[in-house]
Amino acid sequence: MALQNLVNRLRQFRTWHHWVGISVVLFMLITSITGVLLGWKKNVEVLQPATLKGGSSNLNEWVSFDKVASAASRAVDSVVGRAIEIDRMDVRPDKGMIKVLFKEGYWEVQIDAANGKVLSVAQRHADWIEHLHDGSIISDGFKLLYTNYIGFGLLVLSITGFWLWYGPRRIRKVKQGS
């Protein structure tokens, strides 16, 4: 009876493993591919522009945030052809520069904080890849469902995968003991 119970449990785990695997495979592919790309973002300029150095790391010599915002807005407007609202500024005192990030198009403008001159204007592809990675590219509600589904799916696959590896060993042991 114990042997038949083990065999039945093994079949049940195989079925669970099969269907959960099928249901999460696309999401796992997206998450794993985007995860690899995000791991490389600091090493590949296409994914995220290199952080440049400004003229001075002395904060007393820096121009105002108003001047930084104006220079960045003009720079992105000249590339995109229209004004885009600023999302945030990433201040890098050790580099003497400020990254200005925009709400649309994943644009970034790097400004020399000492003189307000534009160092670079580029798109941050790593940002949309990150939104794809965590599901927030659709919505924050979808992100919560997506990450929970992937997490629980991986948990079920890990448990059932272990049992699919361990179960036959237990069955062999029971058969040898009979």
Side-chain angles (χ1 to χ4, degrees):
M1 189 63 184
L3 179 63
Q4 189 57 45
N5 190 19
L6 281 172
V7 170
N8 287 341
R9 245 188 304 168
L10 188 62
R11 286 183 183 139
Q12 186 178 24
F13 273 76
R14 187 174 292 120
T15 301
W16 275 91
H17 192 82
H18 175 83
W19 288 110
V20 170
I22 287 172
S23 71
V24 300
V25 71
L26 177 64
F27 297 133
M28 286 178 22
L29 280 171
I30 291 169
T31 302
S32 62
I33 291 167
T34 56
V36 168
L37 290 172
L38 290 171
W40 280 90
K41 74 181 181 183
K42 300 265 186 203
N43 302 63
V44 179
E45 252 186 70
V46 172
L47 297 175
Q48 182 171 302
T51 301
L52 304 175
K53 280 193 169 246
S56 172
S57 60
N58 182 352
L59 299 176
N60 293 325
E61 297 174 6
W62 283 19
V63 297
S64 69
F65 282 119
D66 186 46
K67 189 169 182 179
V68 168
S70 295
S73 293
R74 280 191 310 276
V76 84
D77 184 21
S78 71
V79 173
V80 178
R82 63 184 175 84
I84 301 175
E85 188 179 348
I86 293 174
D87 183 37
R88 65 187 180 276
M89 292 185 189
D90 181 1
V91 178
R92 304 285 176 102
D94 59 323
K95 301 276 187 186
M97 61 82 93
I98 300 172
K99 289 184 181 184
V100 181
L101 305 171
F102 291 84
K103 289 190 175 186
E104 296 174 38
Y106 304 104
W107 286 100
E108 165 191 290
V109 177
Q110 294 184 35
I111 304 288
D112 184 333
N115 57 27
K117 292 202 186 308
V118 174
L119 298 173
S120 80
V121 179
Q123 282 189 297
R124 296 169 53 98
H125 295 290
D127 289 355
W128 69 261
I129 292 170
E130 184 177 337
H131 291 150
L132 182 61
H133 178 74
D134 69 9
S136 62
I137 200 161
I138 294 175
S139 72
D140 285 339
F142 181 78
K143 174 184 176 177
L144 186 61
L145 290 171
Y146 177 80
T147 55
N148 279 292
Y149 190 70
I150 291 279
F152 286 125
L154 281 172
L155 181 64
V156 169
L157 288 174
S158 298
I159 292 167
T160 57
F162 173 77
W163 184 253
L164 291 174
W165 170 82
Y166 180 69
R169 285 160 179 73
R170 288 273 320 260
I171 291 170
R172 267 187 245 115
K173 199 173 193 177
V174 170
K175 281 183 178 179
Q176 288 171 354
S178 301

